[in-house]
Amino acid sequence: MDVGGTSVRAGVVDADGAVLDTTRTATPGDERALEEAIGGAVHELAERHEVAAVGLAVAGFVASDRRTVMFAPHLAWRHAPVAERISERVGMPVVLEHDANAAALAEHRFGAARGAGVAVLVAVGTGIGGALLIDGEVFRGAHGVAPELGHLRLVPDGRPCPCGKSGCWERYCSGTALSSTAVELLAKHPGVSTVLAREARGDARAITGRRVAGAARDGDPLAQRAVADLARWLGEGLALVADVYDPEVVVVGGGVSESATLFLDDAREHYASVVTGAGHRPLARIRTAQLGDDAGLVGVATLARDLAVGATQSPGGRLG
């Protein structure tokens, strides 16, 4: 299960990392409804497949025992024993993992970070998730919440963030940020005639990040300015990440990465120009995720297999 701020996606994953079946639903706003949605998705897939255990990739702070969600800016859980609750609902062992950690594990085992000694994953979606792998092992910090890259403050007194701070990286570099930037540009240039301007006059809520990316791809100049702004902030944040971790490879994943051809080259150039020691140090390879939207599912299913099923699970078995 990949439990994000916008949707809950479930998949049946085999031992080779192949996703055999999926289902998706919108993310409910309260705890009980969210847990009911997760349980319903598991039962739906378990009717079609032999499911042995459940892993939840969560967009939030997961305790080091991987049983409790301590805080999730875009989800309802607060210090919630989620693994226990879901296990009671579905009658199977359950393990939790931060969604970016899960995606990083999948990319290291099967995808763009394979073989890297020090790898960082930056998952750009509704917000930004981050993960750090050292020799294939997740670095969790002292309390299981590192590294929370999306809430690094890049802009003092900037846009407010659901985490309670302002100016966080994800408020300038995410699907939500892309929408916010486009709406701000429309407000500054009310006379501009573009596809986005015409759509915004009907309903500003139509200006989603996905729509902005699509308009940019079609040549809309205002949308292209919004995408260029995202590219600049992505490069700025990646330079900060490189200053701290000096990774061999950075994998850019998440839903926004599906439009990487629009912005990733510009982000690389900006990163290379502002990183400390620019021109005098090796640069990280910046790659797009190979597993795409499936990375979180594959990583947490692999973790569920390793930790919840262990030696009792046959090599050919399947996990939800």
Side-chain angles (χ1 to χ4, degrees):
M1 310 283 299
D2 194 346
V3 187
T6 303
S7 66
V8 175
R9 183 167 180 259
V12 178
V13 183
D14 70 13
D16 296 319
V19 179
L20 308 177
D21 195 359
T22 64
T23 185
R24 185 191 298 263
T25 187
T27 302
D30 66 84
E31 286 184 272
R32 182 172 180 177
L34 177 56
E35 290 162 14
E36 287 176 352
I38 290 169
V42 172
H43 289 305
E44 176 187 339
L45 291 173
E47 288 179 355
R48 302 197 292 264
H49 302 270
E50 182 181 351
V51 179
V54 177
L56 301 182
V58 179
F61 290 171
V62 175
S64 55
D65 63 2
R66 280 167 284 178
R67 308 289 298 165
T68 302
V69 176
M70 296 184 289
F71 173 71
H74 306 285
L75 300 172
W77 289 315
R78 298 292 184 272
H79 295 283
V82 174
E84 179 181 350
R85 291 179 186 173
I86 301 300
S87 183
E88 289 175 355
R89 281 183 179 273
V90 302
M92 285 180 266
V94 174
V95 63
L96 310 180
E97 183 57 276
H98 187 286
D99 58 349
N101 287 345
L105 287 166
E107 291 290 343
H108 190 269
R109 185 171 295 196
F110 301 109
R114 188 179 300 181
V118 179
V120 171
L121 179 127
V122 177
V124 186
T126 303
I128 288 182
L132 171 64
L133 298 183
I134 301 173
D135 294 329
E137 297 293 326
V138 173
F139 176 80
R140 303 178 188 278
H143 305 102
V145 303
E148 194 56 45
L149 301 179
H151 298 285
L152 294 173
R153 179 175 286 171
L154 263 64
V155 183
D157 301 318
R159 293 172 180 167
C161 182
C163 77
K165 299 194 298 184
S166 61
C168 293
W169 188 17
E170 69 175 44
R171 303 310 296 161
Y172 295 86
C173 181
S174 65
T176 306
L178 194 55
S179 172
S180 297
T181 300
V183 170
E184 288 178 2
L185 288 172
L186 286 166
K188 290 178 181 178
H189 306 284
V192 68
S193 178
T194 70
V195 172
L196 289 184
R198 292 191 293 274
E199 291 179 355
R201 282 194 286 270
D203 184 359
R205 291 174 297 181
I207 309 302
T208 64
R210 187 179 297 274
R211 183 67 193 96
V212 175
R217 196 175 290 109
D218 292 338
D220 184 288
L222 189 141
Q224 290 175 336
R225 285 184 61 182
V227 170
D229 190 74
L230 181 142
R232 179 172 68 90
W233 286 114
L234 177 58
E236 195 78 25
L238 291 180
L240 181 60
V241 169
D243 286 345
V244 177
Y245 297 129
D246 188 27
E248 177 183 342
V249 61
V250 175
V251 178
V252 178
V256 174
S257 70
E258 295 173 6
S259 300
T261 54
L262 295 174
F263 60 80
L264 196 58
D265 285 344
D266 288 343
R268 286 191 183 103
E269 288 184 13
H270 189 72
Y271 151 73
S273 68
V274 300
V275 69
T276 302
H280 304 284
R281 60 179 287 180
L283 297 176
R285 289 177 285 123
I286 300 173
R287 308 180 65 186
T288 52
Q290 291 183 5
L291 302 180
D293 200 30
D294 290 338
L297 296 180
V298 172
V300 81
T302 300
L303 195 61
R305 180 183 303 279
D306 292 344
L307 299 182
V309 182
T312 64
Q313 175 65 32
S314 65
R318 297 172 180 175
L319 295 184

